[in-house]
Amino acid sequence: MQFQWSMPTRCFFGHDALRRHGEVLTSLGKRAMVVTGRAGAERSGALTGVTTLLDALGISWARFEQVEPNPSLETVLAGARATEEFAADFVIGIGGGSPMDAAKAIAALVHNRDPEALFAGRYDYPVLPVVAVPTTAGTGSEVTPYSILTDHGRGIKRSLSAPVLFPAFSFLDSRYLDTLPGPSLVNTVLDALSHAAEGFLARRATPLSDTLAMESLAIIGRHLAGLAEKERDPKLLDDLLYASQLAGMVIAQTGTTIAHGMGYGLTVHHEMDHGYANGAIFPAFLSFSMVHQPDRTTAILAALAMDGLEAFQDAVTGLLGPFPKIAAERLDQLAQAASQTANVHNTVPEPSLSDIRAMFTATFG
Ligand SMILES: [Fe+2]
């Protein structure tokens, strides 16, 4: 057996995590840039939690609140300029995947001015420390070394990936999920499900990532049915945030597969939510996987307590409703773009263009 494992983020999980453990932020400096979207950080209570803490610790802060869903290169460059002007020592990302991914990119760009160098893996100058405070149960960004950005010039999503992008600290308080709208909770949990399952099927899967993936899927499987309407009791929210963290730790090691590669085009060109796109594609992706990796695919369905592929398809359709139809010509273009992503090479076996086209057609045709 041979594998590598690295998870350098120090995580604090539980109610009042910020209040109980927030003093660790003093080790990062005296000035913080708080990176958020326009609504989620406030609605969840996480923004108040963070700023109250910073004030109590005597840490000066400014807020960059311009992060849109699927953050663009332009946005993170503007955030880096604001962070440099404020002379921040560290960056705090509060929200779902978009603000946390943006916080990482901003932290990297303050001293490394050229995003192309970062995309090529060249980090010539220090990256500011990042603190992550998730307010959704899906992205896992609080425990990954990834930042996914939208390059509107090229019309594609592009990934920053480097060990220096792991957050220094993450604070996971499931009470911040309490006000998340039902559809957002569903979409983000389906994103977490796809992380765990794709990590389990990925070429880069390891024995340790498999263990975390199975645990994550088992927890998600217990809560999936009727998720949007469920009462948000503390146990449910703790479970979902924990499962999402586990799934993030999985993809931090394994990366994602063609299911995420296919989802990227849908979010950039069809304004589809990231988790929704992955969830919609997933029944077709598991059908593909069932042919080529039957044992692993069966294990995923068993962990989710699903009685076969059809039951899984029904569960996803029940949560997301009927999927939108997309014209055949457009699906060809999306398949072509997905076939160019690095995700193809992490999929077992590497799907052909016609495999990808067939998965798109089964879902949106
Ligand atoms: Fe994802």
Side-chain angles (χ1 to χ4, degrees):
M1 186 189 294
Q2 286 190 23
F3 67 91
Q4 295 185 20
W5 185 269
S6 172
M7 222 307 280
T9 303
R10 189 170 172 196
C11 300
F12 301 96
F13 191 104
H15 288 182
D16 289 326
L18 277 167
R19 196 173 52 73
R20 288 168 188 262
H21 305 287
E23 77 282 351
V24 295
L25 297 189
T26 57
S27 67
L28 301 180
K30 301 291 280 176
R31 298 175 74 80
M33 177 58 81
V34 178
V35 174
T36 72
R38 295 198 174 88
E42 268 135 337
R43 185 191 58 226
S44 64
L47 180 64
T48 305
V50 166
T51 55
T52 303
L53 170 71
L54 294 174
D55 291 341
L57 295 173
I59 295 173
S60 305
W61 58 273
R63 181 179 174 198
F64 181 78
E65 58 188 279
Q66 294 162 33
V67 181
E68 70 277 46
N70 306 306
S72 67
L73 264 177
E74 294 76 22
T75 297
V76 294
L77 285 165
R81 279 195 299 275
T83 303
E84 186 182 20
E85 276 163 27
F86 184 67
D89 300 310
F90 62 104
V91 182
I92 305 177
I94 307 173
S98 297
M100 288 192 285
D101 281 10
K104 294 174 186 172
I106 288 168
L109 284 164
V110 170
H111 297 307
N112 298 274
R113 303 290 179 83
D114 178 10
E116 291 306 324
L118 300 183
F119 285 123
R122 291 200 316 276
Y123 290 71
D124 297 328
Y125 300 97
V127 174
L128 296 184
V130 171
V131 176
V133 184
T135 63
T136 68
T139 163
S141 183
E142 69 276 8
V143 287
T144 74
Y146 309 129
S147 169
I148 314 292
L149 304 170
T150 300
D151 183 336
H152 288 293
R154 299 191 189 192
I156 54 172
K157 282 205 171 187
R158 302 174 72 188
S159 306
L160 298 179
S161 171
V164 288
L165 296 180
F166 272 110
F169 302 117
S170 289
F171 296 88
L172 296 102
D173 186 335
S174 68
R175 288 179 313 174
Y176 299 147
L177 307 182
D178 204 23
T179 54
L180 196 60
S184 300
L185 185 68
V186 167
N187 291 344
T188 55
V189 169
L190 286 173
D191 190 28
L193 184 159
S194 70
H195 294 159
E198 285 178 59
F200 191 72
L201 293 165
R203 187 171 301 282
R204 288 161 52 199
T206 74
L208 190 42
S209 67
D210 286 351
T211 302
L212 299 184
M214 281 291 117
E215 179 67 2
S216 177
L217 291 167
I219 296 168
I220 292 170
R222 283 203 290 278
H223 297 300
L224 206 54
L227 181 58
E229 294 81 34
K230 277 197 175 143
E231 193 170 328
R232 308 274 178 96
D233 64 59
K235 166 83 172 125
L236 171 74
L237 299 181
D238 261 5
D239 276 2
L240 295 178
L241 189 59
Y242 178 57
S244 148
Q245 181 192 19
L246 291 177
M249 290 164 71
V250 170
I251 58 164
Q253 313 300 320
T254 66
T256 54
T257 68
I258 191 60
H260 264 65
M262 292 169 69
Y264 291 148
L266 294 164
T267 57
V268 175
H269 299 292
H270 292 263
E271 295 186 353
M272 213 176 270
D273 176 271
H274 171 69
Y276 181 100
N278 294 340
I281 289 162
F282 230 70
F285 172 64
L286 285 189
S287 296
F288 167 83
S289 299
M290 187 61 94
V291 175
H292 303 286
Q293 296 197 75
D295 293 350
R296 286 199 160 243
T297 309
T298 303
I300 287 168
L301 293 169
L304 287 167
M306 295 285 168
D307 194 14
L309 279 173
E310 213 166 297
F312 180 68
Q313 169 87 62
D314 290 347
V316 170
T317 312
L319 288 166
L320 299 181
F323 309 138
K325 296 286 175 214
I326 299 177
E329 191 182 304
R330 190 70 203 112
L331 291 179
D332 281 337
Q333 293 165 348
L334 287 166
Q336 192 66 248
S339 74
Q340 304 299 314
T341 59
N343 299 53
V344 167
H345 309 301
N346 197 31
T347 307
V348 182
E350 290 194 13
S352 66
L353 178 60
S354 73
D355 290 330
I356 298 171
R357 179 71 169 78
M359 286 188 268
F360 269 125
T361 305
T363 310
F364 301 109

